[in-house]
């Protein structure tokens, strides 16, 4: 407490969140001589990887790429134990970065930003935290992550259930044992698909409740080899630069052929080779998988046939075969032994696509006229993504207007970076930027560098306020949708579309034109004198 009290109540910048975005922001601000304070609701750094400690949690972007590229000594010295790192290894990395650059002293842990109000007269942000502190700053950066507000559906009887409950995105820090227990997992997205095989090995019995089947590809994870790590380290700066202009911010082999222009034999051989390679690079098999339904169908059927070949019970296999959306239009999952798990005697799959969970009871739950009893229920039911974390803070801009009200019909941003009416408020990987449709660390680095360079530009030019033009923002909001509707993405009831939260506006939230194309657009906007942004010099009142 005494440490917190000694911290400044007025700084240049306030940052919300100490995940990878917050850490890199603090590092850049320190180097620029900009004073910053960061508020973090957890008691440690790491963001997503701090909260998602569920069994089997692992990144599906390989670690040589899911890591910072801004410091060559860091990337040369850090060793990853596996190709796709598990949550504890990514947490260790986040802590290493925080300690290496001495960042923790600028972070107030277990402290949430509750409100952020823009004071027009003083031209500064007034931030109120969960500890009751008020801090002012010229700039406010929301770096709370895109997938950080866990959601448990409002099942009838939720509070009646007396057994243990867990949400994958808010997993306890102490060890959880399911040994000897009857366990339910509700949800088969990326989190459920990773947790289910691990829980199945420990629990006495596991029942999985599936609403929509999802596509998942084996990760083929393995221990990192020296040769592979060295192949990256020897050329890291050049490879990182290439990644920054790749469609997903990931260096991978893309095939620039249509799935429909090759023979069936070549098509199947291509899918087979990528299936054997493992990982979400599977989607790069052909260039029209996400834009042409006929091409997409060929890939979807290949995966369904893999499911049928893996799962011994044909009824279970058919329930696991996804049919509700084109492959890749919901996040493609990456697993370790997922479909094989349904061959275990202690695992049951319950299809709730037609008859949903009707209620939770004291001892379990009911689906139609079938009652289940459980010792523990794991909610792998996802997040109020992209906007949930922003709306958890009472953000008010010019005229006291709330961000939530401005965005009632969906997020409105320029470049996913700022919103008109909210001067000097930046969002890292906000809606309308590639964000969740990319290697998050590549996109985080790009946004952090853009924000910090912009603040440096303002300091150099004696400027005080930055805000997007309404016309530029309107055009960007439309452009994000136009690009999305050229693809198959809007055909899925996904969280990208806000479809997982009852009442949430339906529109495609990330920007899907690609990391490289987005980066070039940002570079051009800066080169054109920050086209679409408006700057103001300090007023006499604000300068007092
Ligand atoms: O959440 P989700 P997640 N009754 O929203 C079901 C990232 N991530 O935590 O499909 C019954 O994808 C819901 O059913 P349906 C990644 O970007 C990355 O798994 O809506 N079921 C679905 O099956 C990912 O996309 C990694 O019909 C209900 C599940 O719950 C994102 O985080 C690992 C229900 C939710 O799936 C979110 O993934 C983990 C209800 N009322 C996560 N409501 C890696 O890097 C929801 N569901 C590997």
């Amino acid at each position: 407490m005494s440490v917190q009290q000694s911290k400044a109540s007025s700084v240049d910048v306030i940052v919300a969140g100490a995940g990878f975005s917050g850490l890199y922001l603090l590092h850049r601000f320190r180097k620029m001589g900009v004073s910053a304070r960061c508020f973090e609701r957890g008691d440690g750094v790491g963001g997503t990887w701090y909260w998602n400690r569920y069994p089997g949690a692992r990144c599906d972007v390989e670690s040589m790429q899911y890591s910072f590229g801004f410091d060559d000594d860091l990337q040369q010295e850090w060793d990853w134990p596996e190709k796709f790192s598990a949550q504890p290894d990514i947490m260790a990395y986040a802590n290493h970065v925080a300690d290496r650059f001495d960042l923790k002293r600028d972070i107030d842990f277990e402290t949430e930003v509750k409100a952020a109000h823009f004071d027009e007269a003083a031209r500064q942000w007034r931030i109120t935290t969960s500890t009751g502190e008020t801090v002012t700053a010229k700039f406010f950066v929301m770096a709370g992550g895109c997938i950080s507000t866990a959601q448990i559906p409002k099942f009838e009887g939720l509070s009646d259930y007396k057994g243990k409950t867990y949400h994958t995105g808010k997993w306890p820090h102490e060890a959880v044992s399911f040994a000897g227990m009857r366990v339910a997992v509700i949800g088969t997205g990326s989190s459920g698909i990773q947790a289910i095989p691990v829980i199945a090995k420990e629990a006495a019995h596991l029942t999985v409740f599936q609403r929509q089947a999802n596509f998942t590809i084996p990760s083929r994870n393995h221990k990192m080899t020296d040769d592979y790590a060295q192949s990256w380290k020897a050329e890291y700066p050049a490879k990182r630069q290439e990644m920054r202009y790749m469609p997903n911010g990931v260096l991978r082999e893309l095939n620039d052929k249509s799935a429909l222009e090759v023979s069936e034999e070549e098509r199947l051989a291509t899918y087979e080779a990528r299936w054997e390679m493992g990982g979400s690079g599977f989607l790069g098999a052909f260039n029209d998988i996400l834009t042409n339904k006929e091409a997409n169908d060929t890939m979807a059927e290949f995966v369904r046939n893999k499911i049928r070949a893996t799962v011994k019970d044909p009824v279970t296999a058919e329930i696991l075969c996804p049919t509700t959306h084109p492959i890749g239009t919901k996040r493609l999952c990456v697993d370790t032994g997922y479909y094989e798990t349904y061959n275990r005697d202690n695992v049951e799959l319950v299809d709730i696509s037609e008859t949903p969970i009707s209620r939770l009871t004291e001892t379990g739950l009911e689906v139609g006229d079938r009652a289940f009893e459980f010792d523990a229920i794991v909610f792998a039911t996802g997040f109020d993504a992209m906007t949930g974390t922003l709306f958890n803070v009472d953000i008010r801009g010019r005229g006291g207007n709330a961000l939530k009200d401005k965005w009632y019909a969906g997020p409105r941003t320029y470049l996913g970076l700022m919103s008109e009416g909210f001067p000097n408020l930046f969002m890292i990987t906000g809606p309308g930027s590639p964000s969740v449709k990319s290697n998050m660390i590549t996109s985080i680095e790009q946004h952090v560098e853009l924000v910090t360079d912009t603040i440096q530009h303002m300091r150099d030019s004696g400027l005080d306020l930055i805000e997007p033009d309404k016309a530029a923002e309107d055009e960007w909001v439309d452009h994000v949708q136009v690009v999305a509707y050229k693809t198959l993405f809007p055909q899925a009831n996904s969280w990208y579309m806000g479809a997982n939260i009852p009442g949430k506006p339906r529109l495609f939230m990330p920007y899907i034109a690609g990391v490289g194309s987005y980066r070039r657009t940002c570079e051009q906007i800066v080169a054109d004198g920050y086209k679409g942004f408006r700057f103001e010099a300090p007023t006499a009142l604000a300068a007092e």
Side-chain angles (χ1 to χ4, degrees):
M1 208 53 179
S2 59
V3 175
Q4 293 196 6
Q5 279 165 358
S6 69
K7 287 185 176 171
S9 60
S10 179
V11 284
D12 297 323
V13 188
I14 288 166
V15 175
F20 286 114
S21 306
L23 293 178
Y24 189 31
L25 281 164
L26 289 178
H27 177 59
R28 295 273 296 195
F29 287 136
R30 181 86 60 78
K31 281 177 82 170
M32 289 161 63
V34 165
S35 61
R37 281 184 70 180
C38 174
F39 297 104
E40 164 56 53
R41 73 188 153 116
D43 70 0
V45 299
T48 286
W49 301 102
Y50 172 93
W51 297 102
N52 287 270
R53 296 165 186 246
Y54 59 85
R58 184 181 291 285
C59 189
D60 59 6
V61 177
E62 62 169 285
S63 299
M64 296 312 292
Q65 307 203 43
Y66 188 84
S67 46
F68 281 127
F70 69 80
D71 184 289
D72 199 42
D73 289 342
L74 168 65
Q75 63 189 2
Q76 294 297 336
E77 286 166 29
W78 184 261
D79 291 322
W80 292 104
E82 292 178 275
K83 182 174 181 189
F84 295 101
S85 287
Q87 177 271 338
D89 294 319
I90 305 174
M91 271 293 286
Y93 176 73
N95 275 289
H96 171 78
V97 171
D99 293 336
R100 183 179 184 110
F101 298 110
D102 185 25
L103 303 175
K104 288 180 183 166
R105 66 183 156 97
D106 289 337
I107 306 170
D108 289 33
F109 291 104
E110 295 181 89
T111 309
E112 228 173 303
V113 173
K114 292 302 227 187
H117 294 181
F118 185 66
D119 178 337
E120 282 184 83
R123 293 156 76 95
Q124 64 186 9
W125 283 92
R126 179 170 291 114
I127 307 296
T128 313
T129 73
S130 53
T131 61
E133 197 184 355
T134 299
V135 188
T136 57
K138 179 63 53 193
F139 298 97
F140 175 42
V141 190
M142 276 297 294
C146 302
I147 314 176
S148 39
T149 297
Q151 71 112 13
I152 293 183
K154 293 183 174 52
F155 292 116
E156 193 186 319
L158 190 57
S159 57
D160 296 344
Y161 178 65
K162 297 280 186 282
K164 292 191 178 309
T165 56
Y166 303 93
H167 188 288
T168 50
K170 266 191 175 173
W171 204 261
H173 288 203
E174 57 279 6
V176 173
S177 170
F178 292 115
M181 289 189 181
R182 298 160 304 170
V183 181
V185 172
I186 303 174
T188 52
S190 299
S191 306
I193 279 174
Q194 287 189 326
I196 285 162
V198 184
I199 296 175
K201 284 186 189 144
E202 194 184 22
H205 193 272
L206 172 64
T207 310
V208 177
F209 294 89
Q210 174 192 281
R211 192 164 63 178
Q212 290 176 75
N214 238 324
F215 292 95
T216 174
I217 307 297
S219 72
R220 315 268 180 227
N221 186 33
H222 54 73
K223 294 257 170 288
M224 183 66 73
T225 63
D226 284 348
D227 284 355
Y228 188 69
Q230 273 318 313
S231 73
W232 271 89
K233 290 186 178 185
E235 295 176 50
Y236 240 146
K239 283 183 185 285
R240 293 283 194 197
Q241 189 59 7
E242 223 183 311
M243 282 165 63
R244 292 179 186 122
Y245 291 90
M246 291 295 284
N248 292 94
V250 178
L251 209 53
R252 61 165 65 127
E253 207 184 309
L254 300 172
N255 183 358
D256 202 20
K257 281 186 192 167
S258 159
L260 305 177
E261 76 179 70
V262 299
S263 66
E264 185 171 8
E265 196 182 5
E266 180 177 339
R267 192 162 54 230
L268 291 178
T270 305
Y271 291 148
E272 194 64 50
R274 292 211 177 220
W275 180 267
E276 280 314 307
M277 192 169 72
S280 53
F282 189 68
L283 282 177
F286 294 102
N287 65 9
D288 51 355
I289 296 298
L290 294 170
T291 49
N292 182 323
K293 180 69 168 50
E294 203 187 330
N296 188 286
D297 285 343
T298 64
M299 180 181 264
E301 191 56 16
F302 174 87
V303 176
R304 286 190 285 261
N305 284 333
K306 285 289 181 194
I307 298 169
R308 292 173 186 127
T310 308
V311 178
K312 290 183 184 143
D313 172 37
V315 176
T316 303
E318 277 319 305
I319 298 172
L320 287 166
C321 283
T323 54
T324 56
H325 58 283
I327 184 168
T329 57
K330 293 177 93 173
R331 163 76 169 240
L332 185 67
C333 302
V334 173
D335 71 277
T336 302
Y338 179 66
Y339 293 124
E340 291 82 348
T341 297
Y342 294 95
N343 293 332
R344 296 177 64 98
D345 292 338
N346 68 334
V347 176
E348 184 189 3
L349 178 67
V350 178
D351 178 5
I352 52 168
S353 58
E354 282 177 10
T355 310
I357 292 170
S358 18
R359 67 184 59 78
L360 266 66
T361 62
E362 267 191 37
T363 52
L365 60 79
E366 291 173 8
V367 175
D369 55 11
R370 206 175 154 196
F372 297 83
E373 298 209 333
F374 299 113
D375 303 304
I377 298 179
V378 174
F379 295 97
T381 45
F383 299 84
D384 185 354
M386 313 274 318
T387 54
T389 303
L390 289 161
F391 291 165
N392 283 342
V393 179
D394 175 25
I395 298 176
R396 288 169 192 268
R398 288 190 192 278
N401 292 328
L403 187 74
K404 211 172 178 166
D405 292 340
K406 178 180 171 187
W407 289 12
Y408 75 97
R412 301 196 71 76
T413 71
Y414 183 40
L415 299 173
L417 196 70
M418 298 194 80
S419 193
E420 182 262 337
F422 298 82
N424 291 4
L425 163 64
F426 294 101
M427 290 163 272
I428 303 299
T429 65
S433 74
S435 60
V436 293
K437 288 307 303 160
S438 70
N439 176 350
M440 282 303 293
I441 299 197
T442 312
S443 288
I444 284 170
E445 284 192 329
Q446 190 243 340
H447 261 192
V448 168
E449 286 160 17
L450 185 54
V451 168
T452 51
D453 288 351
T454 300
I455 291 176
Q456 187 60 51
H457 164 75
M458 291 172 69
R459 284 156 65 95
D460 294 344
S461 317
L463 298 168
D464 188 46
L465 283 195
I466 176 171
E467 188 178 347
D469 290 330
K470 185 169 181 320
E473 179 172 295
D474 289 348
E475 206 178 308
W476 186 258
V477 169
D478 288 347
H479 173 63
V480 170
Q481 295 311 306
V482 167
V483 172
Y485 276 85
K486 285 183 182 156
T487 72
L488 303 176
F489 279 97
Q491 294 187 21
N493 284 324
S494 66
W495 60 259
Y496 299 140
M497 295 289 295
N500 65 326
I501 304 288
K504 195 164 170 170
R506 290 281 179 110
L507 77 178
F508 195 75
M509 291 185 284
Y511 180 53
I512 198 70
V515 165
S517 142
Y518 173 80
R519 191 181 186 94
R520 281 191 197 92
T521 300
C522 292
E523 286 166 352
Q524 194 57 52
I525 284 169
V526 172
D528 292 344
Y530 285 90
K531 196 171 170 205
F533 289 101
R534 210 168 47 76
F535 290 99
E536 286 178 26
T539 60
L541 179 63
E544 275 169 13

